Amino acid sequence: MTLQLTGIHHLTAITADAPANLRFYTNTLGLRLVKKTVNQDDTSAYHLFYADGEATPGTDLTFFDWPVGRERRGTHSVARTGLRVSGEKSLTWWREHLGQSGVASGEIAEIAGYRALDFEDAEGQRFRLIDDGGKGEAHPWSKSPVPVEHQIRGLGPITLSVPDLAPTELVLTKVMNMRQVRDHASADGNGHVHVFAMGEGGPAAELHVAVQPNLPTAQQGAGAVHHVAFRTPDIESMHEWTERLKSVRLPSSGEVERYYFRSLYFREPNGILFEIATDGPGFTADEPLETLGERLALPPFLEPRRASIEAGLKPLV
């Protein structure tokens, strides 16, 4: 059987205002803070993980807190993040809710084969609420301010912007075993979008690639996406992906132990950072499900430095 990714695992973005970020993603979007930790490569920065009620793989929206200026938008980047909800009524509810919260949004429209609603957070992080038809599992959070039936169910699709499809397509199809399933004009009229699917497909397992050669090269900052991660079930399949990248001579980080999952990082030919991540062991590795995100969690190798790390972090509340 061909080695397959099963969908989007998580997406990591950049914020320059962690307290405001926490308020927006928990109070306005109704997500659960499931892990409050630090960037393992830069312990002066928070790494905040928001997800569904059970911290399910495929629902994680995460942020590095860095004191940087705004993103310069352009190509060679992740341009928009899909968030799945169930039904047209949910999209209508979200449009009203965002408006009441002072968040501008577009109109509900047919975009990329789905009923959808575009909006941005205060730093310009771009999102698209997608009606996924209620397919697949959902794990709502009982303490969310958003009603259960309207809660965000998970990530996907994710949209990339590249100036040239061919090199990216080669890696997606020949290395990562995705398949192109359709294409369409970009919703904003700028370029053409090619849709690639993983595993069983559907919005939780789609990557949309917008070909936009007329845009400048993006420069990361607040409001930008740092990287997108794709799901692989376990350590054994991770070893297979590691060997696959070696066999095609695609440079990578090698396997990195992140404690909550194991990761493998590499850049596709247009420079966008990809990660493959295992579904487990998950965020309950060091905290009970009931109290996820309530204290600063540190992986074992950072625990001896807890006092100095905590002293270097600004309060979130």
Side-chain angles (χ1 to χ4, degrees):
M1 183 177 175
T2 304
L3 185 62
Q4 287 284 318
L5 300 163
T6 58
I8 306 298
H9 186 282
H10 69 267
L11 180 133
T12 296
I14 301 168
T15 179
D17 188 346
N21 182 272
L22 177 64
R23 289 192 299 272
F24 180 79
Y25 287 91
T26 56
N27 295 344
T28 305
L29 294 194
L31 297 171
R32 183 182 184 187
L33 178 67
V34 297
K35 193 62 60 177
K36 179 170 60 176
T37 185
V38 294
N39 182 324
Q40 294 180 12
D41 303 312
D42 173 12
T43 59
S44 70
Y46 281 111
H47 192 179
L48 304 177
F49 290 77
Y50 307 102
D52 68 4
E54 296 185 12
T56 314
T59 71
D60 310 340
L61 183 60
T62 95
F63 287 86
F64 295 143
D65 170 38
W66 285 330
V68 292
R70 289 291 182 91
E71 171 197 27
R72 185 182 71 191
R73 292 181 178 177
T75 191
H76 299 281
S77 68
V78 178
R80 193 172 291 272
T81 300
L83 303 172
R84 295 179 288 108
V85 297
S86 178
E88 182 92 16
K89 287 183 179 178
S90 284
L91 292 177
T92 301
W93 183 90
W94 274 102
R95 191 169 189 278
E96 293 174 356
H97 171 67
L98 291 170
Q100 291 167 359
S101 303
V103 180
S105 69
E107 299 292 334
I108 297 170
E110 193 82 15
I111 302 175
Y114 302 103
R115 296 294 287 170
L117 176 68
D118 288 355
F119 72 98
E120 299 180 9
D121 75 2
E123 292 183 298
Q125 191 70 235
R126 289 168 283 177
F127 292 104
R128 175 167 293 152
L129 287 163
I130 295 280
D131 173 14
D132 69 0
K135 295 176 183 175
E137 295 182 0
H139 304 282
W141 180 34
S142 61
K143 297 180 182 178
S144 174
V146 174
V148 166
E149 66 272 23
H150 300 313
Q151 285 183 29
I152 291 166
R153 294 161 45 83
L155 294 170
I158 306 300
T159 302
L160 313 183
S161 173
V162 301
D164 180 13
L165 178 66
T168 296
E169 180 182 27
L170 185 66
V171 167
L172 296 182
T173 58
K174 302 302 183 184
V175 179
M176 301 175 73
N177 292 330
M178 298 186 195
R179 58 196 183 277
Q180 186 166 348
V181 292
R182 62 185 185 278
D183 62 277
H184 58 87
S186 176
D188 62 6
N190 185 1
H192 206 76
V193 180
H194 300 260
V195 178
F196 295 85
M198 298 161 266
E200 296 180 359
E206 284 182 0
L207 190 67
H208 294 196
V209 183
V211 182
Q212 299 174 316
N214 297 324
L215 295 183
T217 298
Q219 183 175 325
Q220 285 192 341
V225 171
H226 187 269
H227 65 269
V228 58
F230 306 98
R231 295 175 66 176
T232 196
D234 48 37
I235 296 295
E236 289 71 26
S237 60
M238 174 63 82
H239 295 335
E240 292 184 61
W241 282 111
T242 303
E243 290 306 312
R244 183 166 184 79
L245 294 188
K246 285 181 183 176
S247 72
V248 297
R249 298 182 181 179
L250 187 61
S252 79
S253 63
E255 293 180 28
V256 181
E257 182 56 67
R258 294 301 191 194
Y259 190 55
Y260 308 114
F261 41 82
R262 187 169 294 190
S263 298
L264 177 67
Y265 300 88
F266 60 99
R267 291 191 184 274
E268 57 80 43
N270 274 299
I272 300 168
L273 184 60
F274 283 175
E275 175 184 352
I276 296 174
T278 58
D279 280 351
F283 294 117
T284 56
D286 59 355
E287 294 181 292
L289 180 63
E290 295 73 25
T291 57
L292 286 179
E294 293 182 8
R295 63 185 289 273
L296 182 69
L298 296 175
F301 76 94
L302 289 178
E303 192 61 49
R305 295 170 50 197
R306 175 175 286 274
S308 64
I309 289 172
E310 288 184 332
L313 294 170
K314 54 183 177 286
L316 280 175
V317 179

